[in-house]
Structure formats: C-alpha cells, structure tokens
Amino acid sequence: MKVRFEPIGGKTAEIIEALMASDDMPLNDELRFKLRLCIEEAVANIVDYAYEGGNGFVEVGTYINGKELFITLEDSGKPFNPLEKSDPDITLSAEDRPIGGLGIFLCKQLMDDMTYAFENGRNKLTMKKNI
Amino acid sequence: MDVTITQEAEKTVVVLTGRLDTTNADRFQQDIAPLMQMETPNIEINCTDMEYTSSQGLRLFLMLQKNVNAHQGKMVMKNMKPQVKEIFDITGFSNIISII
C-alpha cells in the first residue's frame, strides 16, 4: 500500500493508523507493538521537523518481500538523515541523561534494518522487519 | 490513555491505562505537573494496564525520575507488561528507574 498525506501538520495519529491498517501488517501482537513504536517515532519525526509549520507531504507505504516487511516514508522537507545521529549513552545515570533523543535509537534497535537516502529532493527512509 | 492520580497515606499513586504516545504525551505532562512540585515525592506508578509507550512517554518518565532524585524522593513503576519493559531495557531506563 502507499498513501500520501498533505499537509501533514497535526496528522501524526492518522498517518500511524493508516500504516497499521495495511494488509501487509502482521497480526502478532508483539510484532505489531514494535512496528507501531517504530512507525510512531519515524512519522512523528517527519511531522514535527521536516517542514516549517507542517505544510508539506509525506508518502508512506508498506510492502512484503518474502518474509520481510518494509515500511517506507518519503518527504520533501529539509534533508535529514536520522541514522547519522549518534546513539545515546544508555549507561548514564538519570541525572546525566539528556531528555529525548531516543526515538530513532528505538527504531534501530527494534527493526532488522533501516536505510536512508536523499534522492530527487526527497528524504527516503525504509525500515525492514523480519516477520 | 487514562491517567488517575490519587494521594494515599504516604504515597502518590498514578494509574496509567492505555497507550502513551505522541498524541497524548502533552496531556500526560500536564497531568503529572503536580508531581514535579512535591517537596519529597513518593510516587508509585501502576503500569498494569499501560499498553504501550513511545519515546514521548520515556522522556516524561525520565523527567519525573530526575525530579525525584533531585528531591531525595522515591519512585517505582509496578507491574509493567513485558513488551513495555523491553522498551525500558533497550533504552537503559531499567537501570535508572525502579521497576518492580
């Protein structure tokens, strides 16, 4: 499936639910929990940061190749590679831990692969999960 | 996500029900604002019916824990579902928040 949302301001929940409703999504609760979490983190990043004021589009999709589920997100906002961000130091004390910065880290941990490309003026993020 | 906060004899009990995510984290932050004002917080968070948390929920739990530590208070999270606990484990939050 592939769905386009425009504008995207305030539509985080709607975009997440559209992806979760895809026929490609597994039925297993534990997998769905992890997929929902990664989808939320990726979608929220785009809705909150890709465009000034949320006046842009996002195209989200899913497809299956064998036993692999792929979730794709494309936007034409400012170029941003979320995978370049360094991982948080999870050994720090509560006092020393910064607030935030966990979203993409969680995606990296819970997904089996993540790829990013900037092509034709678009940020293209693909998340892969073995199902 | 439903949040109920009740004051018992010595402790403040927070019961979380449903999904804590980017769509309701702001409201949750308002709900817990009074807990950030306590002189010596003693907080028990009942997670029996908490189905989910994203990073938006984690950041608020960390804020609470930082505030509790700064005031020499106490905070525990109880009865967390395994899939939620895994998120706390992956992020190292299990080491900085008391989960029982």
Side-chain angles (χ1 to χ4, degrees), chain B residues 16-65:
Chain B
L16 303 180
T17 307
R19 287 206 296 257
L20 176 53
D21 62 22
T22 183
T23 69
N24 55 33
D26 285 350
R27 205 184 72 226
F28 181 56
Q29 186 164 3
Q30 290 166 19
D31 289 338
I32 60 173
L35 307 184
M36 303 288 285
Q37 306 298 327
M38 293 174 167
E39 275 183 29
T40 312
N42 183 3
I43 302 166
E44 179 183 294
I45 303 177
N46 183 329
C47 303
T48 309
D49 294 316
M50 179 166 76
E51 302 292 339
Y52 171 100
T53 182
S54 69
S55 66
Q56 291 299 308
L58 292 179
R59 65 187 290 278
L60 296 174
F61 293 125
L62 177 58
M63 275 175 50
L64 268 179
Q65 187 66 56

Side-chain angles (χ1 to χ4, degrees), chain A residues 93-119:
Chain A
S93 66
E95 287 79 3
D96 292 334
R97 289 217 39 180
I99 303 277
L102 292 171
I104 294 301
F105 175 69
L106 276 170
C107 295
K108 284 167 150 177
Q109 299 297 315
L110 295 173
M111 284 286 171
D112 289 300
D113 192 29
M114 290 184 67
T115 57
Y116 168 85
F118 188 75
E119 289 171 359

Side-chain angles (χ1 to χ4, degrees), chain B:
Chain B
M1 176 81 178
D2 284 321
V3 183
T4 61
I5 302 178
T6 46
Q7 188 63 44
E8 293 184 2
E10 292 291 309
K11 64 188 177 191
T12 309
V13 177
V14 182
V15 181
L16 303 180
T17 307
R19 287 206 296 257
L20 176 53
D21 62 22
T22 183
T23 69
N24 55 33
D26 285 350
R27 205 184 72 226
F28 181 56
Q29 186 164 3
Q30 290 166 19
D31 289 338
I32 60 173
L35 307 184
M36 303 288 285
Q37 306 298 327
M38 293 174 167
E39 275 183 29
T40 312
N42 183 3
I43 302 166
E44 179 183 294
I45 303 177
N46 183 329
C47 303
T48 309
D49 294 316
M50 179 166 76
E51 302 292 339
Y52 171 100
T53 182
S54 69
S55 66
Q56 291 299 308
L58 292 179
R59 65 187 290 278
L60 296 174
F61 293 125
L62 177 58
M63 275 175 50
L64 268 179
Q65 187 66 56
K66 280 175 182 277
N67 185 65
V68 163
N69 291 2
H71 292 86
Q72 283 83 47
K74 277 201 301 196
M75 181 170 100
V76 294
M77 299 185 76
K78 275 178 76 171
N79 295 334
M80 204 177 269
K81 288 182 190 292
Q83 69 264 34
V84 176
K85 171 74 163 46
E86 187 181 354
I87 302 308
F88 280 70
D89 291 340
I90 289 172
T91 53
F93 273 37
S94 303
N95 302 323
I96 53 179
I97 295 175
S98 170
I99 300 171
I100 59 174

Side-chain angles (χ1 to χ4, degrees), chain A residues 19-20 25 34-46 60-64 68-73 82-83 103-104 106-116 124-131:
Chain A
L19 279 166
M20 290 304 295
M25 284 289 159
K34 290 174 180 171
L35 291 166
R36 172 181 285 276
L37 184 54
C38 298
I39 287 169
E40 177 187 331
E41 303 296 352
V43 169
N45 249 359
I46 292 171
V60 298
T62 61
Y63 62 93
I64 287 177
E68 298 173 337
L69 167 71
F70 293 85
I71 299 165
T72 60
L73 304 101
L83 308 182
I104 294 301
L106 276 170
C107 295
K108 284 167 150 177
Q109 299 297 315
L110 295 173
M111 284 286 171
D112 289 300
D113 192 29
M114 290 184 67
T115 57
Y116 168 85
K124 299 184 177 183
L125 184 68
T126 303
M127 306 193 285
K128 182 184 97 174
K129 186 75 182 164
N130 299 329
I131 56 172

